[in-house]
């Protein structure tokens, strides 16, 4: 949610900031802006719309600038507009700020400032930061920045320019990510490491309440009491190849095609010799009586999918949406282990849920795709997924990698609980077989289905058991990027209400990968067809059902792992449907990739 960037160095600031904003755009894309020092003044340009609009507006501007800050916005307070876009200036234009997060007490702060005559230009919570800095009576800019942390409540990563201090940038962070990048000829601040790839060789992840002061090429790090800290940089190993679209028109397409690779690389990570599972003490697993899986959106769906696999191994797992788990009347069960899933590792609801578990001394395991993420820092144990950077807002390869890591985890738990010498190799062979089959899977039938979906009002995904979990993920994917109203249902639940919505304007997509549930699912197919809906069925079984309009044959593999297979064509279906509707699948309406606000 919102991406911020700062640059100071030998290169033109405009070029560095705009390039990085494009890489941060998946965090929000309703408006963007740039403010640089030019001739010792703060010059600002900001525009409603995508970063490309800002690039056009800046074409002949900022020619001599070597220091500045930029922002790409996902609106929380105030509609997407030029005036609500960041950077925000103080009333006297002497302070410029960009902010990612939410200032929860902005109304009272703003009220007080207004009482004293300050005039605001925007409806945002963020503008209050610039105004507070202008009004501060502290003797130095550094102290003014420090004072902010005593005034602001909520979450923030903030980069600041003071007109009086040419070519200097200040930054402060709490509960929102901010990274310092170091190159030979410049320094960067960024909401995430992806925007620094190809620019810097080293980076430092700012810790809670850190304050940074960059004075030309010198950089100073302080804690909240302004005590100096050492900056411990780490190498940045990702390459521009990892974040490029290559020959694909959209990131989402590239990322779906990378699903087999994401599964393989993640599985390799769990090879016995370097097994992150073995870092989780066997004693902890042995004594664990309850496993809770917590996540949001696709990450939650991955947890739900795996709960079916776990049950087959007599391991019982409860799944919670992170935004709800936090407010549960706490279960405080004995011997509980919590597993948090998050592609980004920065989702605010998931982070807060993990903090809540820690408050209750519950051991925490995270499944994340970003090694430098906040969740990785906070958790007791890490199960890394190796999907590589996922840029499209809709999560695809990360989901497949998440369930891969969790299959391995559940097998590990099973072995420990049953005193079996754990060897992930069998699972590895099975997943290798799945990957080979996915790589050669002909998806051409999906194109035809997508073309038919483009004019449909309602789509239901139904399934039983694990196929219901896949239905949830497929439904989320479709609604997220094609804007078609879609819902997932247990196949057996249709007749208890939703059948009322089934008519000839409806498509029902049936997932049937579990042999013992097939017959019952076929009953539902006839019930749907009798109400006039079009039925599309995905299965690996050889069936001939006249009530099915289109049959999508899935590659045959171990039934327990079919979730890894069945989602693949459905991710592609969502992608293709968005294309047929003329929508940008990488940047769906109203959404952003990394949801760093609660
Ligand atoms: O980074 P996370 O995995 O924590 O993100 C969680 C959700 O915001 C995310 O999965 C979202 O639902 C996706 N856009 C779905 O495609």
């Amino acid at each position: 949610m919102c991406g911020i960037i700062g640059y100071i160095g030998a290169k033109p600031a405009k070029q560095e900031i705009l390039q990085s904003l494009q890489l941060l755009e998946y965090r929000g894309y309703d408006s963007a802006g740039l403010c640089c020092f030019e001739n010792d003044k703060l010059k600002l340009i900001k525009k409603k719309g995508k970063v490309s609009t800002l690039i056009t507006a800046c074409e002949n501007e900022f020619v001599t600038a070597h220091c500045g800050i930029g922002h790409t916005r996902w609106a929380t307070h105030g509609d997407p507009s030029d005036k609500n876009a960041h950077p925000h200036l103080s009333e006297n234009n002497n302070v410029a700020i960009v902010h990612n997060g939410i200032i929860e007490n902005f109304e009272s702060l703003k009220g007080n400032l207004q009482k004293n005559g300050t005039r605001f230009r925007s409806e945002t919570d963020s503008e209050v930061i610039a105004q507070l800095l202008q009004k501060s009576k502290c003797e130095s800019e550094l102290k003014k920045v420090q004072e902010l942390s005593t005034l602001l409540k909520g979450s923030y990563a903030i980069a600041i320019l003071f007109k009086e201090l040419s070519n200097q940038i200040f930054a402060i962070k709490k509960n929102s990510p901010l990274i310092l990048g170091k190159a030979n000829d410049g320094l960067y601040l960024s909401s995430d490491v992806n925007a620094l790839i190809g620019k810097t060789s080293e980076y430092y992840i700012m810790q809670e309440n850190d304050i940074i002061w960059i004075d030309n090429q010198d950089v100073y790090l302080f804690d909240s009491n302004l005590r100096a800290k050492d900056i411990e940089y780490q190498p940045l190993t990702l390459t521009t190849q990892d974040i490029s679209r290559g020959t694909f028109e959209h990131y989402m397409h590239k990322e779906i095609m990378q699903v087999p690779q994401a599964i393989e690389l993640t599985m390799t990570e769990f090879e016995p010799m370097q097994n992150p599972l073995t870092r989780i003490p066997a004693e902890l697993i042995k004594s664990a009586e309850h496993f809770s899986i917590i996540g949001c959106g696709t990450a939650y769906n991955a947890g739900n999918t795996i709960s079916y696999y776990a049950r087959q191994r007599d391991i019982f797992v409860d799944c919670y949406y992170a935004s709800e788990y936090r407010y549960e009347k706490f279960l405080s069960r004995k011997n509980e282990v919590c597993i948090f899933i998050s592609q980004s590792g920065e989702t605010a609801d998931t982070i807060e849920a993990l903090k809540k578990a820690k408050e209750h001394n519950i051991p925490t395991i995270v499944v994340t795709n970003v090694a430098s993420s906040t969740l990785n820092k906070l958790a007791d144990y890490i199960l890394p997924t190796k999907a590589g950077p996922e840029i499209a807002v809709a999560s695809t390869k990360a989901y497949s990698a998440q369930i891969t890591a969790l299959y391995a985890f559940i097998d590990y738990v099973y072995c420990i609980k049953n005193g079996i010498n754990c060897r992930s190799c069998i699972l590895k062979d099975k997943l290798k077989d799945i990957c080979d089959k996915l790589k050669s899977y002909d998806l051409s039938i999906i194109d035809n289905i997508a073309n038919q979906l483009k004019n449909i009002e309602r789509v239901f995904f139904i399934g039983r058991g694990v196929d219901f979990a896949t239905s949830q993920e497929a439904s989320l994917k479709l609604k997220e990027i094609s804007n078609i109203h879609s819902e997932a249902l247990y196949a057996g639940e249709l007749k208890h209400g939703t059948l009322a919505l089934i008519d000839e304007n409806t498509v029902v997509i049936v997932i049937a990968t579990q042999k013992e549930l097939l017959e019952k699912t076929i009953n539902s197919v006839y019930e749907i067809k009798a109400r006039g809906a079009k039925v599309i069925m995905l299965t690996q079984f050889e069936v001939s059902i006249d009530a099915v309009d289109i049959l999508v044959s899935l590659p045959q593999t171990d039934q327990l792992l079919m979730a890894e297979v069945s989602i693949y064509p459905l991710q592609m279906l969502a992608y293709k449907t968005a294309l047929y509707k003329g929508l940008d699948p990488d940047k769906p309406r109203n959404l952003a990739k990394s949801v760093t606000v609660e």
Side-chain angles (χ1 to χ4, degrees), residues 1 252 295-301 341-348 350 367-368 370 375 390 392-396 398 402 473 476-477 480-481 588 591-595:
M1 307 257 114
M252 187 177 176
C296 303
T298 289
Y300 169 87
N301 292 342
I341 310 177
S342 173
Q343 187 285 128
S344 60
E346 297 296 349
T347 300
T350 313
V367 178
T368 62
V370 181
L375 274 178
E390 192 181 65
V393 168
S395 187
T396 53
Q402 284 159 355
E473 176 54 11
L476 176 63
K477 218 83 313 171
E480 181 178 20
I481 58 167
L591 298 177
K593 179 80 177 160
S594 205
V595 186

Side-chain angles (χ1 to χ4, degrees), residues 37-38 160 170 208 218 270 309 318 367 392 404 517 543 584:
F37 284 103
E38 210 167 41
I160 305 157
F170 293 82
E208 289 306 272
D218 296 322
F270 290 88
Y309 184 74
D318 291 316
V367 178
T404 301
L517 303 172
V543 288
D584 179 349

Side-chain angles (χ1 to χ4, degrees), residues 246-302:
T247 53
F248 291 92
E249 198 185 335
H250 298 104
Y251 280 109
M252 187 177 176
H253 192 190
K254 177 186 171 196
E255 289 161 8
I256 296 171
M257 291 294 108
Q258 287 178 324
V259 162
Q261 183 188 326
I263 298 171
E264 274 170 352
L265 290 176
T266 301
M267 201 54 223
T268 307
E269 189 68 15
F270 290 88
E271 297 248 47
M273 287 309 286
Q274 48 174 27
N275 202 332
L277 292 167
T278 55
R279 282 178 226 133
I280 306 172
E283 285 315 308
L284 177 69
I285 301 289
K286 257 188 217 154
S287 61
E289 288 169 27
H290 305 277
F291 292 95
S292 299
I293 300 190
I294 297 128
C296 303
T298 289
Y300 169 87
N301 292 342

Side-chain angles (χ1 to χ4, degrees), residues 277 282 284-286 288 291 308-317 406-424 426-427 430 560:
L277 292 167
L284 177 69
I285 301 289
K286 257 188 217 154
F291 292 95
Y308 288 92
Y309 184 74
R311 260 174 257 169
Q312 302 291 331
R313 300 223 171 319
D314 287 331
I315 299 160
F316 291 88
V317 170
L406 288 162
Y407 285 138
F409 173 70
I410 294 299
D411 280 6
Y412 180 67
V413 173
Y414 177 79
C415 290
I416 288 182
K417 291 230 178 250
N418 292 285
I420 301 168
N421 187 10
C422 190
R423 285 162 49 84
S424 58
I426 302 166
L427 177 65
K430 288 181 182 170
L560 283 181

Side-chain angles (χ1 to χ4, degrees), residues 34 79 103 138 177 179 196 209 212 234 242 311 331 372 414 427 490 500 527 560:
L34 173 62
D79 61 355
I103 305 303
C138 292
I179 289 173
L196 303 178
N209 303 310
I212 273 183
Q234 43 188 304
D242 294 317
R311 260 174 257 169
L331 303 165
S372 57
Y414 177 79
L427 177 65
Y490 287 106
E527 288 161 13
L560 283 181

